[in-house]
């Protein structure tokens, strides 16, 4: 017998959060999220609930928990994109089609009740949450920023009537001195024109005090047309400032300003903390924090995060300067490789930048959609 129950009690919340930890217990490529961050989703004052609403369900078969899923009505996204979409996220289950059918039927019933016309996902509350289902590259370690899943998930979802909405691809980059010399020469020529300059490195908290609003304004504008994005709210800004500060190495956070000290471009990359998160299954114990901070300070793998340029400045080459600066730091730290994380497969402007490294495309993720 299969039963789907809405998550309400403390035990049900723990079971919801712990299910992937159990499913992927022996999987070396799964990287858990931070446990206490997952718990925040169940608090009534969770910062995304000023722009969205969500439900969470556990699925049981013969009394044993075998699956979970969450549904999100992201009102700001629906307003922005003129859509009536319900997002699904945090889908995990055993390889059982009946379990998947029950979970997605529950989400679809909720979506219809809310007047939605489509269900799409995996997508979180915003672009700062994990998104996309892995459909290629299961043999590679996940990054902390993205979710790992078993290869049978795609079959379960497609058998529920879902098809491709968009794909993201990911690359692994390794430093190439000859290619770096070329892009660095271009960067130096661009800087010599004197139209803009690079802000000296500083800690993220200090940068937010000096350029915080501009930092987020550039991201809002630069990513305004990217699939599934929503505008920054004060709550989202606070979340980014508080959650990202401990895992940012200032050498991988670079800003470019014009001669009026206006931010026109920015780049942010993260030291890879996947192994630190695996160490205590997402729990920030004292030993896990020590390992995390060590990896931030001594990065051997880098995860690319954000590159944003104001559209009117795109022809000025500031993105090339940013890329050269990050590449120079990668070489200085003797980084083994760089993970690009998600790039929409048709985002040729970004993907073309990877030609300045030796690179392989090694992962693909998909957002699925179904009309209801």
């Amino acid at each position: 017998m299969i039963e789907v129950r809405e998550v309400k009690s403390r035990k049900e919340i723990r079971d919801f959060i712990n299910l992937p930890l159990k499913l992927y217990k022996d999987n070396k490529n799964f990287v858990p999220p931070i446990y206490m961050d997952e718990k925040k989703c169940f608090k009534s004052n969770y910062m995304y609930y000023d722009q969205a609403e969500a439900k969470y369900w556990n699925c049981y078969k013969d009394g044993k928990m075998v699956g979970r899923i969450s549904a999100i009505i992201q009102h700001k996204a629906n307003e922005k994109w003129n859509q009536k979409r319900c997002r699904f996220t945090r889908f995990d289950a055993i390889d059982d089609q009946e379990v998947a059918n029950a979970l997605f039927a529950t989400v679809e019933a909720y979506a219809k009740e809310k007047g939605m016309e489509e269900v799409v996902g995996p997508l979180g509350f915003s672009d700062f949450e994990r998104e996309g289902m892995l459909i290629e590259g299961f043999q590679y370690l996940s990054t902390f920023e993205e979710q790992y899943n078993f290869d049978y998930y795609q079959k379960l979802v497609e058998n529920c009537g879902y098809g491709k909405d968009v794909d993201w691809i990911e690359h692994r980059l390794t430093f190439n001195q000859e290619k770096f010399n070329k892009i660095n020469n271009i960067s130096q020529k661009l800087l010599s024109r004197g139209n803009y300059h690079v802000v000296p490195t500083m800690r993220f908290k200090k940068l937010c005090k000096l350029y915080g609003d501009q930092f987020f304004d550039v991201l809002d504008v630069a990513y305004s047309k990217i699939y599934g994005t929503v505008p920054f709210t004060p709550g989202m800004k606070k979340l980014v400032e508080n959650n990202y500060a401990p895992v940012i190495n200032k050498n991988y956070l670079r800003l470019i300003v014009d001669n009026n000290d206006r931010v026109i471009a920015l780049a942010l990359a993260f030291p890879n903390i996947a192994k630190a998160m695996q160490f205590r299954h997402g729990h920030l114990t004292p030993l896990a924090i020590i390992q995390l901070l060590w990896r931030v300070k001594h990065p051997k793998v880098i995860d690319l995060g954000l590159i944003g340029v104001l559209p009117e400045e795109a022809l000025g080459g500031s993105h090339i300067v940013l890329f050269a600066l990050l590449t120079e730091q990668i070489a200085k730290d003797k980084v083994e490789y760089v993970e690009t994380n998600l790039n929409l497969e048709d985002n040729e402007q970004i993907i073309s930048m990877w030609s300045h490294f030796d690179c392989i495309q090694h992962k693909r993720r998909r957002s699925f959609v179904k009309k209801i």
Side-chain angles (χ1 to χ4, degrees), residues 148-185:
Y148 185 87
N149 57 263
F150 290 122
D151 57 1
Y152 62 78
Y153 277 32
Q154 181 180 0
K155 172 197 67 178
L156 294 179
V157 173
E158 289 179 343
N159 285 345
C160 289
Y162 289 78
K164 173 183 174 180
D165 197 22
V166 299
D167 274 10
W168 296 271
I169 55 177
E170 301 178 50
H171 294 78
R172 176 172 287 188
L173 316 176
T174 51
F175 179 77
N176 180 302
Q177 184 67 56
E178 183 179 353
K179 292 180 179 180
F180 168 69
N181 290 341
K182 292 179 180 179
I183 193 172
N184 191 50
N185 288 338

Side-chain angles (χ1 to χ4, degrees), residues 81-142:
W81 300 100
N82 192 28
Q83 296 170 329
K84 292 183 178 180
R85 285 187 158 187
C86 172
R87 300 179 172 197
F88 77 84
T89 185
R90 292 171 172 83
F91 165 67
D92 286 290
I94 63 172
D95 189 3
D96 187 318
Q97 192 62 53
E98 289 186 347
V99 171
N101 291 347
L103 286 167
F104 280 96
T106 302
V107 170
E108 290 160 18
Y110 169 73
K112 289 179 181 178
E113 178 187 323
K114 291 291 183 177
M116 299 297 105
E117 298 174 348
E118 295 177 312
V119 175
V120 63
L123 292 173
F125 288 97
S126 77
D127 204 39
F128 280 88
E129 288 205 316
R130 295 178 173 190
E131 58 189 354
M133 181 172 291
L134 188 67
I135 61 172
E136 294 176 8
F138 301 98
Q139 69 272 37
Y140 294 98
L141 176 68
S142 182

Side-chain angles (χ1 to χ4, degrees), residues 97 233 267 295 311:
Q97 192 62 53
T233 64
R295 290 180 183 275

Side-chain angles (χ1 to χ4, degrees), residues 283-294:
H283 293 275
L284 292 181
T285 64
L287 285 177
I289 291 173
I290 290 171
Q291 185 170 139
L292 184 152
L293 294 176
W294 189 90

Side-chain angles (χ1 to χ4, degrees), residues 253-357:
L253 172 60
R254 308 309 301 258
L255 262 65
I256 290 179
V257 296
D258 63 17
N259 293 326
N260 295 316
D261 207 33
R262 179 182 67 118
V263 178
I264 62 171
L266 60 90
L268 174 60
F270 303 97
N272 186 289
I273 59 171
K275 293 293 185 181
M277 289 298 97
Q278 288 179 325
F279 181 62
R280 284 292 183 265
H281 312 294
H283 293 275
L284 292 181
T285 64
L287 285 177
I289 291 173
I290 290 171
Q291 185 170 139
L292 184 152
L293 294 176
W294 189 90
R295 290 180 183 275
V296 170
K297 190 174 181 180
H298 306 281
K300 290 305 176 186
V301 177
I302 290 294
D303 299 343
L304 294 185
L306 304 165
I307 297 178
V309 181
L310 291 178
E312 64 268 27
E313 302 291 341
L315 296 179
S318 55
H319 62 292
I320 296 176
V321 175
L322 287 170
F323 201 69
L325 290 168
L326 291 182
T327 307
E328 182 179 28
Q329 190 64 43
I330 286 165
K332 183 178 179 181
D333 289 339
K334 298 181 180 179
V335 168
E336 294 174 9
Y337 61 88
V338 176
E339 291 279 354
T340 65
N341 280 317
L342 276 63
N343 304 133
L344 287 167
E345 63 180 345
D346 60 355
N347 193 341
E348 296 178 0
Q349 183 178 9
I350 288 295
I351 294 172
S352 66
M353 296 297 294
W354 310 149
S355 64
H356 299 293
F357 284 87

